[in-house]
Short mmCIF file of all heavy atoms in Angstrom, two decimals:
data_model
loop_
_atom_site.label_atom_id
_atom_site.label_comp_id
_atom_site.label_asym_id
_atom_site.label_seq_id
_atom_site.Cartn_x
_atom_site.Cartn_y
_atom_site.Cartn_z
N MET A 262 0.86 -1.19 -0.01
CA MET A 262 0.01 -0.01 0.02
C MET A 262 0.90 1.25 0.02
O MET A 262 1.86 1.32 0.74
CB MET A 262 -0.86 -0.01 1.26
CG MET A 262 -1.89 1.08 1.34
SD MET A 262 -3.39 0.68 0.49
CE MET A 262 -4.29 -0.24 1.74
N ALA A 265 0.25 9.06 0.29
CA ALA A 265 0.90 10.39 0.28
C ALA A 265 0.29 11.14 1.45
O ALA A 265 -0.94 11.07 1.66
CB ALA A 265 0.61 11.12 -1.02
N SER A 281 4.55 4.58 8.11
CA SER A 281 5.70 3.88 7.49
C SER A 281 6.25 2.82 8.47
O SER A 281 6.67 1.75 8.09
CB SER A 281 6.80 4.88 7.08
OG SER A 281 7.42 5.47 8.22
N LEU A 300 14.15 17.84 6.44
CA LEU A 300 13.80 16.41 6.59
C LEU A 300 14.70 15.54 5.75
O LEU A 300 15.16 14.48 6.19
CB LEU A 300 12.33 16.21 6.21
CG LEU A 300 11.31 16.72 7.27
CD1 LEU A 300 9.93 16.90 6.63
CD2 LEU A 300 11.24 15.77 8.45
N PRO A 310 9.04 14.02 21.17
CA PRO A 310 9.89 12.95 21.73
C PRO A 310 9.79 11.67 20.92
O PRO A 310 8.71 11.20 20.61
CB PRO A 310 9.35 12.76 23.13
CG PRO A 310 8.75 14.08 23.50
CD PRO A 310 8.19 14.65 22.23
N LEU A 312 10.43 11.15 17.77
CA LEU A 312 10.10 11.24 16.34
C LEU A 312 11.34 11.16 15.48
O LEU A 312 11.37 10.41 14.48
CB LEU A 312 9.34 12.54 16.05
CG LEU A 312 8.84 12.74 14.64
CD1 LEU A 312 7.89 11.59 14.20
CD2 LEU A 312 8.11 14.10 14.50
N PRO A 314 14.38 9.68 15.65
CA PRO A 314 14.91 8.36 15.31
C PRO A 314 13.95 7.50 14.49
O PRO A 314 14.32 6.72 13.64
CB PRO A 314 15.17 7.73 16.68
CG PRO A 314 14.51 8.56 17.70
CD PRO A 314 14.33 9.91 17.11
N ALA A 340 -3.92 6.03 -1.24
CA ALA A 340 -4.67 6.95 -0.37
C ALA A 340 -3.83 8.19 -0.16
O ALA A 340 -2.59 8.10 -0.06
CB ALA A 340 -4.95 6.28 0.97
N PRO A 348 -5.95 26.72 10.77
CA PRO A 348 -5.93 27.71 11.87
C PRO A 348 -7.29 28.40 12.04
O PRO A 348 -8.14 28.32 11.17
CB PRO A 348 -4.86 28.71 11.41
CG PRO A 348 -4.79 28.58 9.94
CD PRO A 348 -5.12 27.13 9.61
N HIS A 355 -13.95 30.97 12.83
CA HIS A 355 -14.22 29.79 12.00
C HIS A 355 -12.86 29.19 11.64
O HIS A 355 -11.84 29.88 11.58
CB HIS A 355 -14.93 30.19 10.72
CG HIS A 355 -16.42 30.32 10.90
ND1 HIS A 355 -17.03 31.52 11.26
CD2 HIS A 355 -17.45 29.42 10.79
CE1 HIS A 355 -18.33 31.36 11.35
NE2 HIS A 355 -18.62 30.10 11.06
N THR A 376 -8.31 6.39 -5.96
CA THR A 376 -7.58 6.94 -4.81
C THR A 376 -8.59 7.37 -3.74
O THR A 376 -9.64 7.95 -4.07
CB THR A 376 -6.76 8.17 -5.24
OG1 THR A 376 -5.94 7.81 -6.35
CG2 THR A 376 -5.91 8.71 -4.11
N LYS A 468 -14.42 14.35 16.28
CA LYS A 468 -13.15 15.01 16.64
C LYS A 468 -13.44 16.26 17.47
O LYS A 468 -12.83 16.50 18.53
CB LYS A 468 -12.42 15.39 15.34
CG LYS A 468 -11.22 16.30 15.59
CD LYS A 468 -10.12 15.62 16.33
CE LYS A 468 -8.99 16.61 16.58
NZ LYS A 468 -7.91 16.02 17.39
N ARG A 508 -17.37 6.27 35.47
CA ARG A 508 -18.15 7.11 34.52
C ARG A 508 -17.49 8.45 34.25
O ARG A 508 -17.78 9.12 33.31
CB ARG A 508 -19.55 7.29 35.07
CG ARG A 508 -20.36 6.03 35.20
CD ARG A 508 -21.60 6.29 36.05
NE ARG A 508 -21.20 6.76 37.38
CZ ARG A 508 -22.12 7.19 38.27
NH1 ARG A 508 -23.41 7.24 37.94
NH2 ARG A 508 -21.73 7.59 39.46
N SER A 523 -2.46 24.11 20.20
CA SER A 523 -2.92 24.43 18.83
C SER A 523 -4.30 23.85 18.55
O SER A 523 -4.82 24.02 17.46
CB SER A 523 -1.93 23.82 17.84
OG SER A 523 -1.92 22.43 18.00
N MET A 560 -4.97 34.29 36.44
CA MET A 560 -3.70 33.73 36.93
C MET A 560 -2.65 34.86 37.08
O MET A 560 -1.85 34.85 38.00
CB MET A 560 -3.17 32.66 35.99
CG MET A 560 -4.00 31.38 36.01
SD MET A 560 -4.01 30.54 37.62
CE MET A 560 -5.68 30.85 38.16
N GLY A 607 4.45 46.54 35.42
CA GLY A 607 5.75 47.03 35.86
C GLY A 607 6.74 45.95 36.28
O GLY A 607 7.81 46.26 36.82
N GLY A 627 10.99 42.21 25.63
CA GLY A 627 11.43 42.70 26.94
C GLY A 627 11.60 41.64 28.00
O GLY A 627 11.68 41.94 29.19
N ILE A 661 17.29 27.56 45.97
CA ILE A 661 16.32 28.57 45.48
C ILE A 661 16.06 29.61 46.57
O ILE A 661 15.98 30.83 46.28
CB ILE A 661 15.03 27.88 45.03
CG1 ILE A 661 15.26 27.15 43.70
CG2 ILE A 661 13.89 28.88 44.88
CD1 ILE A 661 14.11 26.36 43.17
N THR A 669 9.07 33.64 47.84
CA THR A 669 7.68 33.52 47.30
C THR A 669 7.67 32.66 46.05
O THR A 669 8.45 32.90 45.13
CB THR A 669 7.12 34.93 46.94
OG1 THR A 669 7.17 35.75 48.12
CG2 THR A 669 5.72 34.85 46.42
#
Side-chain angles (χ1 to χ4, degrees):
M262 185 84 85
S281 68
L300 286 161
L312 184 59
H355 278 89
T376 307
K468 169 68 183 177
R508 295 167 300 173
S523 62
M560 291 297 110
I661 288 176
T669 302

